[in-house]
Amino acid sequence: MSQLLYEGKAKKMYATDDPNVLRVEYKNDATAFNGKKKAVFPGKGKLNNAICTKVFHVLMKDGIPTHFIDKISETEQLVKAVSIIPIECVVRNVVAGSLAKRFNLEEGTSFGRTIIEFYYKSDALGDPMINDDHALALKIATEEDLAEIRRLALKVNGILQKLFDEAGILLVDFKIEFGKLKSDGKIVLADEISPDSCRLWDKKTHEKLDKDVFRRNIADLPETYEKLLGRLEAVK
Ligand code: TMP
């Protein structure tokens, strides 16, 4: 058995024979509110692996550098080894979630522009929001890193808005993470893009097709993710 390097809330990372390659296993666990709410959904790992693989294929076809190498089983991927930049980069097109709460705005409001937010990735601190100055002072990232993260985040947003639009879905917001390749230090999109890390609403009905169905007890999570996967698979 290969060595378990890291276990997160939704994934496990294992070493492979190649130090520049890791194996990711998607778990069936769902968590919300920094792990305070938890459940296990048989089939969730398989669905997120399939959805994330589809999304990363589309992004890579459009020139986004990522850690993704290949999907190797229903629940596993091979990825390039990176050191994660400890910034959760949230991209928002429509008001929802914590943004709605912070400014007392109605969910679904559109500013007509995209908002990028940075959070310091630290479970112990509850992922506090930071600005560029905090990131520089805390030596989390350099100015060049932050510029590249913003550039890639906006490009990812454009590609994903188009992909989801073709599936009849509004990309409300999402969270992405970046890492520096162990091999050459280049910044690439890492972690996952899945309904765990995005808000996705049906364009017409605003039905939720993401983890908010679990956070807010709205609907069955595997049924919701299955519906999303079906919609994405229909996009050529
Ligand atoms: P928020 O509105 O709760 O700040 O979430 C913004 C987006 O980021 C939403 O699509 C869910 C995603 N997200 C994560 O992927 N992980 C997290 O820990 C949090 C808080 C949000």
Side-chain angles (χ1 to χ4, degrees):
M1 268 309 282
S2 49
Q3 189 198 351
L4 176 66
L5 298 176
Y6 172 79
E7 177 160 4
K9 292 194 277 271
K11 296 186 293 296
K12 290 180 186 176
M13 313 282 291
Y14 294 91
T16 68
D17 294 341
D18 182 340
N20 288 321
V21 176
L22 303 182
R23 179 166 59 85
V24 181
E25 185 189 311
Y26 281 74
K27 304 198 292 184
N28 286 335
D29 303 17
T31 67
F33 313 117
N34 202 12
K36 286 193 208 80
K37 179 171 178 170
K38 278 189 213 164
V40 180
F41 295 104
K44 173 179 182 277
K46 185 177 85 176
L47 288 162
N48 268 1
N49 189 28
I51 293 164
C52 183
T53 296
K54 167 82 186 182
V55 169
F56 271 64
H57 276 148
V58 170
L59 290 171
M60 290 165 79
K61 200 160 79 44
D62 273 356
I64 300 290
T66 84
H67 72 157
F68 182 87
I69 299 173
D70 201 7
K71 177 173 182 266
I72 54 165
S73 78
E74 282 201 325
T75 56
E76 295 165 298
Q77 296 174 3
L78 290 182
V79 300
K80 294 177 188 165
V82 299
S83 58
I84 285 283
I85 298 170
I87 290 178
E88 300 204 350
C89 177
V90 169
V91 181
R92 302 182 184 270
N93 298 307
V94 173
V95 173
S98 67
L99 184 70
K101 282 219 180 73
R102 191 174 318 116
F103 296 108
N104 194 26
L105 294 166
E106 199 176 332
E107 289 201 311
T109 312
S110 178
F111 288 126
R113 58 166 291 144
T114 299
I115 295 172
I116 293 189
E117 297 170 348
F118 292 152
Y119 295 84
Y120 180 32
K121 189 174 158 65
S122 162
D123 283 342
L125 298 175
D127 299 342
M129 194 198 268
I130 54 170
N131 65 20
D132 289 36
D133 285 338
H134 296 120
L136 296 172
L138 294 167
K139 299 198 169 22
I140 295 167
T142 66
E143 293 207 40
E144 294 71 33
D145 295 341
L146 295 175
E148 181 65 354
I149 288 172
R150 269 180 213 283
R151 184 186 77 79
L152 289 171
L154 288 173
K155 199 169 166 200
V156 167
N157 187 42
I159 298 165
L160 293 190
Q161 279 183 310
K162 179 166 172 288
L163 168 68
F164 286 115
D165 186 69
E166 285 168 7
I169 293 167
L170 179 66
L171 177 60
V172 172
D173 58 33
F174 59 96
K175 183 269 298 177
I176 47 180
E177 296 178 24
F178 295 89
K180 292 188 177 177
L181 286 180
K182 288 263 164 71
S183 55
D184 64 6
K186 185 179 154 193
I187 293 182
V188 299
L189 180 67
D191 192 49
E192 70 181 86
I193 299 184
S194 74
D196 279 9
S197 59
C198 302
R199 285 199 175 89
L200 302 162
W201 297 353
D202 178 87
K203 265 200 304 195
K204 290 207 187 81
T205 65
H206 281 194
E207 177 193 2
K208 294 182 198 307
L209 299 170
D210 59 64
K211 199 167 81 176
D212 270 349
V213 299
F214 166 68
R215 293 190 189 97
R216 303 180 188 188
N217 301 315
I218 293 171
D220 182 68
L221 182 142
E223 271 175 30
T224 303
Y225 286 21
E226 190 86 59
K227 201 184 294 180
L228 173 66
L229 177 60
R231 296 259 206 118
L232 282 178
E233 279 174 343
V235 178
K236 285 299 153 226

